[in-house]
Amino acid sequence: MEDPTESLTSFSESLFATSNQQQQLGFMELLGISGSLQEEYYFSSPFDSMLPSSTTRGFTPSMTTSSSPAAEVLNNGPATPNSSSVSSVSSGGNGGGGAPNDHEQTTTYCDKSVGLGDDEEEQHDKTKKLEPSLMQNKGLLLCVNIRFAGSEEMIVDFWGLCRLKPKKTCEKKKKEREPKFAFMTKSEVDHLEDGYRWRKYGQKAVKNSPFPRSYYRCTSASCNVKKRVERSFTDHSIVVTTYEGQHTHHSPLMMPRPSPLTSRYSQGGSGRIPAGGFSHQLRTLTLPSDQQQQFNNFAPLNCGGYNSIVHTAANEPSLRGSQFSSRSPASSASIRGGDYGLLQDMVPSTMNIIKDES
DNA sequence: CGACTTTGACCAGCGC
DNA sequence: GCGCTGGTCAAAGTCG
């Protein structure tokens, strides 16, 4: 059976890597991250998308495999206690010089569920009770591989960005919450070092999962950022980290290790977090024009100078049943400096975001 | 001794 | 109203 993580990774890559057009799209525009977001955003679980399409609102991928020298496998070495032991397939390009992969995946997405308009959504809600996880899965939008630096190479997958529309019945009741962003990380360690200091304040057993969920709070006095860490019950190697809120301070563990790549980004940074203060590299992402439009259609909000991308992709024929061929060697896109600064608020600072300049 | 983790208790939201 | 679940609190324990 195909590894669902890999398959979804493949999909996400293909989303960005299928065109020769070099249109660039800011990463945070893709994410729709902004400090003034009023809704909760999630990166949906890939496994939600693997659920039967009759109940899933995400893509329903089907896959084939074939050989491709352009693909690569990362981090096949033994696990280290503090690093990922598992890796998913990354797209081609230099990407750190991984070995060629054995197979390429061509992913076909029958995203009948993606693109539900609000009306359609409501109709859907009326007729079918959805699991909470499925509710989050209103469209797989984005998946980015991030690698840890050096020997602690790791792949982090950003899964589809979804908007969780609050139920109308509880709109008034629910207290306003900070925007949430979830990251799925293949890792053996639950609590990934992300440059900030966290204090664990709770742990709860999760329903339908043998793994407990841990609750952390940023130890900075004025910072009320929280994060939840739990393991995916469908793939125990995946750690789901959900961040809530935005840091009001710089990373206390930030170690300035400027590199040519990071210094480049530091020039265009937002100033939010000094780009040179991280050893990040950005893997460029390119979105073909039609797909960029697709992502732009996910962006009804324009907050803080960033066009957020979250939107139901209603009536988007470009994604319906579209077939993406991954491992395009021409894959690249850019994450602009300002977006990058915001990204660093979200992404563990020990991760390297691979910049693919091929 | 301070910072952090552990863990049981408590509370609120939600569905039935 | 009741029970389930998620989220948080706080006392106790651990560690450097």
Side-chain angles (χ1 to χ4, degrees), chain A residues 3-10 46-47 88 157 159 186 235 237-238:
Chain A
D3 178 4
T5 305
E6 185 171 296
S7 68
L8 269 296
T9 303
S10 173
F47 310 106
S88 51
D157 297 320
W159 299 103
K186 287 220 167 196
D235 186 339
S237 66
I238 291 182

Side-chain angles (χ1 to χ4, degrees), chain A residues 16 24-33 43 142-146 156-159 161 183 282-285 295 306-309 333-344 346-347 353:
Chain A
F16 294 100
Q24 298 185 336
L25 186 62
F27 182 77
M28 299 313 283
E29 289 180 3
L30 295 180
L31 294 179
I33 290 172
F43 295 93
L142 181 59
C143 178
V144 177
N145 287 338
I146 298 174
V156 174
D157 297 320
F158 288 79
W159 299 103
L161 176 63
F183 297 87
L282 288 180
R283 175 188 189 168
T284 58
L285 303 166
F295 280 90
Y306 298 98
N307 294 319
S308 47
I309 57 155
S334 77
I335 302 170
R336 295 193 306 242
D339 300 333
Y340 182 55
L342 277 176
L343 174 61
Q344 288 171 332
M346 311 296 304
V347 178
I353 306 171

